[in-house]
Amino acid sequence: MLSIARTSLQHSSRRVLSIARPIHTPCRPFTQPTPLKQAPATRNVPKIQRRNYSQIPERNSIGAFTPTSAALFVLAGVGLYFYFRHEKARLAEEREKERGLKSFGRPNIGGPFSLTTHDGKPFTEKDLNGKWSMVYFGFTNCPDICPAELDKVTAVLNNIQKEHGDIFLPVFISVDPARDTLPQMAQYLQDFHPSLVGLVGGYDETKAVCKAYRVYFSTPPNADPKGDYLVDHSIFVYLMDPKGEFVEAFGQNVSQEEIEAKINDAITEWQKETGKKV
């Protein structure tokens, strides 16, 4: 019995030892772990939001053209008008001066003519000799330019006569022979300097003197004396020396002070050469 018990105990202990012994398994070879692939970095680009036209508030019927912008627009238009008008007159003045220039020497302005004064006396280019002449071309029905230019001539004469005396002869030559009669000319000149001499003539005589002084005028030869028309013409005051030769042409844009300065310079130069003012 005792032997049987020992034998059973030995078998039991062997079974326990066999169960407790760890099971040996073969080792796998060591390998480097494969790195994980990272997804490419993406930039954080802001998403563009598009406005729907339905979200934009509708403008009123006037829009951006407000009363203020309208006033500025009108003022700009008026300013451009006067600017281009000034430039046109200045360019016309320069062209007229160029037309009167020779290739060298003095401008070829002035020459023989035969007209009649406003008081019925004959007058030629020789009557300009012996004084400093200021010759202007215009017409008595001129609404604004001719009166303004003759007012300027009157103001110039009032000033320079105080310094130099009665050595000037202002002349107003009509470019409207159809309507500028002697009585009409005489009445017209009453509003200006008393020494002004008005000259009129027929169409051929008027055309001849205008050609001599390089003056443009638009009066047709068959103009109606009772017609209501305007005459387009050159706007210059010509300064002639005591020999009747051209000295300077003053356009519409030349001021009274500039004219007086030019005349004083011309008289000073003349006096240096001749020893006298006339």
Side-chain angles (χ1 to χ4, degrees):
M1 285 295 286
L2 183 60
S3 60
I4 296 171
R6 288 179 177 175
T7 303
S8 300
L9 182 62
Q10 290 178 350
H11 283 288
S12 300
S13 60
R14 289 176 180 174
R15 188 177 295 115
V16 171
L17 289 175
S18 62
I19 295 172
R21 186 181 299 168
I23 299 174
H24 177 74
T25 56
C27 296
R28 295 180 182 179
F30 176 78
T31 58
Q32 186 72 19
T34 304
L36 297 176
K37 292 184 179 181
Q38 296 181 355
T42 58
R43 292 184 299 175
N44 189 16
V45 179
K47 189 175 182 180
I48 300 176
Q49 295 182 356
R50 299 183 180 275
R51 293 186 66 185
N52 191 349
Y53 285 106
S54 61
Q55 299 175 355
I56 301 175
E58 295 183 359
R59 295 180 177 180
N60 54 23
S61 58
I62 298 178
F65 203 67
T66 63
T68 302
S69 61
L72 292 175
F73 179 79
V74 172
L75 289 176
V78 172
L80 287 174
Y81 169 77
F82 283 104
Y83 169 77
F84 285 114
R85 183 179 179 183
H86 172 81
E87 285 297 303
K88 181 180 179 182
R90 184 181 63 81
L91 293 175
E93 178 179 338
E94 292 179 358
R95 284 196 298 267
E96 288 295 329
K97 285 186 177 181
E98 291 176 358
R99 287 176 57 192
L101 292 175
K102 288 183 177 179
S103 59
F104 60 92
R106 268 194 187 188
N108 186 23
I109 294 178
F113 65 87
S114 179
L115 299 170
T116 305
T117 66
H118 62 275
D119 53 2
K121 298 177 182 178
F123 193 100
T124 68
E125 76 283 354
K126 296 179 181 179
D127 293 301
L128 298 177
N129 298 337
K131 287 192 174 184
W132 291 89
S133 303
M134 299 178 68
V135 183
Y136 179 73
F137 292 77
F139 63 109
T140 61
N141 285 284
C142 180
D144 48 13
I145 295 178
C146 293
E149 291 300 293
L150 291 178
D151 281 336
K152 186 162 59 175
V153 169
T154 299
V156 169
L157 288 171
N158 288 335
N159 288 337
I160 60 177
Q161 280 185 343
K162 295 177 183 178
E163 181 179 354
H164 301 291
D166 188 18
I167 61 173
F168 303 98
L169 177 61
V171 177
F172 177 55
I173 301 178
S174 171
V175 293
D176 188 9
R179 295 182 298 182
D180 285 346
T181 61
L182 296 181
Q184 174 74 12
M185 179 66 78
Q187 182 180 0
Y188 181 75
L189 294 180
Q190 291 178 3
D191 295 331
F192 306 106
H193 199 274
S195 63
L196 259 170
V197 177
L199 300 180
V200 297
Y203 183 83
D204 292 337
E205 291 81 9
T206 302
K207 183 178 179 180
V209 69
C210 287
K211 182 178 180 180
Y213 281 83
R214 304 293 189 268
V215 171
Y216 164 78
F217 74 108
S218 63
T219 308
N222 56 349
D224 183 7
K226 297 182 180 180
D228 185 14
Y229 57 87
L230 294 177
V231 179
D232 189 15
H233 61 88
S234 303
I235 307 170
F236 289 98
V237 176
Y238 296 98
L239 177 65
M240 315 297 288
D241 66 21
K243 290 184 178 180
E245 296 181 354
F246 173 79
V247 178
E248 186 64 79
F250 306 114
Q252 183 182 5
N253 297 319
V254 181
S255 67
Q256 172 189 334
E257 293 75 16
E258 291 174 318
I259 295 177
E260 292 176 9
K262 290 281 188 179
I263 293 176
N264 287 328
D265 292 343
I267 294 175
T268 301
E269 195 67 27
W270 178 272
Q271 199 167 7
K272 288 180 181 179
E273 297 178 359
T274 65
K276 51 186 181 181
K277 292 186 177 181
V278 292

